Amino acid sequence: MTGSTGFIGLGAIGRPMAVHVAGVPGTVVWNRTAERAREFAQETGATPAGSIRELVEAVETVITCLPTSAEVMEVARAAEGAWRAGQLLVDATSGDPAGSREVAAFLAEAGVGFVDAPVSGGTDGARAGTLTVMLGGDEPWVTRARAVVAPYAGKVEHVGPIGAAHALKAVNNALLAVNIQAAAEGLAALVQCGVKAEVALEVINASSGRSNVTENLFPERVVTRAFPRTFRLALLDKDLGVALKVLEETGVRSGSIRTTREAFARARAALGEEVDHVEFVKTVEEASGVEIR
Ligand code: NDP
């Protein structure tokens, strides 16, 4: 039994996740830009809350899907005094382990449980309800969180204590970013050598250098020049920062992740907060004077 659920953060991935949650009667939603919550409620039958506090008072479980752990803490504090013992916060944000432990400690004072529950699979996976969900936390909260995330999950894995799921998600996304940078540099060079990008990708994807980046992102988004905006570069830059912090805290020396973090930070400064993560490729193209197509 999970009781009623409140969903906070109807952004690019939060919204399609919340659509599945709203399939369960009694779902309440809140979004900073209230118009988005009203429009969502009209479409799905969920109830829009007038404030974070109102949402927390109305439900047993809260799901957050916000940019960083800092906003999750803001939300937790906004309902200070309204949290009740036995409630659970399931945080789908790609947050940071230390930030999660702080949120968990704050909620624990009111007897509220916390599970970090970041997702992978992108906006397509969210729409399909097939996201991979990593859970960090203690029993019995984790068992309850499994039921809460089930409407949008294809795979659910309990990976360790509070913060462990956020660490894993950050490392996964660091690998994504390293792959984007390496593929962009390699393909820019191959195009200069006279190899068509499509041909290069076909060969790489039948060889040992293939990855999700070469199999899906480059053919669908770069070669086509479509560059859809599904996951902001600024958020991937944030994930690289979290991954670096995890490496630092564990005493692991970083080479490639650090280099990629520097490149993504430069791209973020040059391209702004709204561009998609794959648009990073444009910075490599510009620097090398070639289009990857
Ligand atoms: P978006 O930037 O599209 O949405 C962010 C959401 O957070 C919006 O609902 C926004 O409200 C809200 N928000 C921002 N700042 C605040 C604040 N100070 N207080 C309250 N609400 C706030 O992000 P995504 O939906 O893409 O990402 C959400 C999380 O999921 C991130 O941690 C991201 O890294 C992760 N993620 C994203 C994926 C993707 O493919 N997009 C894939 C996997 C993980 P408003 O509508 O008012 O702007």
Side-chain angles (χ1 to χ4, degrees):
M1 238 335 251
T2 56
S4 55
T5 303
F7 200 107
I8 295 180
L10 302 170
I13 195 146
R15 192 186 192 287
M17 286 162 65
V19 166
H20 296 285
V21 178
V24 182
T27 300
V28 182
V29 294
W30 182 87
N31 192 68
R32 182 181 59 175
T33 305
E35 183 49 33
R36 289 194 181 135
R38 276 197 294 273
E39 173 269 325
F40 178 88
Q42 266 175 6
E43 192 181 304
T44 61
T47 304
S51 66
I52 295 166
R53 178 174 289 270
E54 195 180 300
L55 178 143
V56 167
E57 282 167 351
V59 301
E60 290 305 314
T61 307
V62 177
I63 302 175
T64 41
C65 190
L66 299 167
T68 73
S69 293
E71 287 82 27
V72 179
M73 191 51 145
E74 271 178 39
V75 160
R77 285 194 194 284
E80 193 165 10
W83 293 102
R84 306 181 302 280
Q87 284 181 306
L88 169 65
L89 174 60
V90 174
D91 183 23
T93 305
S94 299
D96 67 273
S100 288
R101 288 191 289 268
E102 276 173 36
V103 177
F106 172 79
L107 292 172
E109 285 174 23
V112 176
F114 176 92
V115 173
D116 43 320
V119 301
S120 76
T123 50
D124 285 348
R127 268 188 294 276
T130 56
L131 292 171
T132 296
V133 184
M134 298 147 247
L135 301 180
D138 305 320
E139 296 293 352
W141 304 111
V142 167
T143 298
R144 222 169 107 184
R146 280 183 188 279
V148 174
V149 305
Y152 54 78
K155 181 178 174 62
V156 183
E157 201 67 47
H158 181 199
V159 303
I162 289 170
H166 281 155
L168 174 48
K169 172 65 186 174
V171 168
N172 176 76
N173 278 23
L175 297 180
L176 163 69
V178 167
N179 271 290
I180 290 173
Q181 183 181 20
E185 291 170 0
L187 281 158
L190 287 171
V191 171
Q192 300 276 32
C193 293
V195 184
K196 279 205 169 73
E198 231 169 335
V199 174
L201 286 165
E202 212 179 300
V203 172
I204 289 167
N205 289 335
S207 306
S208 49
R210 70 185 180 277
S211 66
N212 175 54
V213 169
T214 60
E215 288 182 326
N216 297 306
L217 296 184
F218 271 59
E220 290 166 14
R221 299 176 177 221
V222 179
V223 176
T224 57
R225 314 308 292 171
F227 291 109
R229 292 187 168 177
T230 62
F231 174 42
R232 296 189 292 120
L233 187 152
L235 292 173
L236 187 51
D237 176 49
K238 171 261 303 180
D239 293 333
L240 280 158
V242 175
L244 268 184
K245 216 167 126 198
V246 170
L247 265 64
E248 272 162 25
E249 282 167 3
T250 51
V252 176
R253 206 180 303 160
S254 173
S256 59
I257 293 178
R258 184 172 299 283
T259 306
T260 298
R261 198 321 149 90
E262 287 163 7
F264 268 75
R266 280 195 301 275
R268 181 177 179 176
L271 302 177
E273 293 295 299
E274 296 307 319
V275 300
D276 187 71
H277 65 306
V278 180
E279 291 181 76
F280 171 86
V281 171
K282 292 177 180 172
T283 64
V284 175
E285 291 181 327
E286 199 181 305
S288 51
V290 67
E291 260 190 16
I292 298 171
R293 51 155 95 222

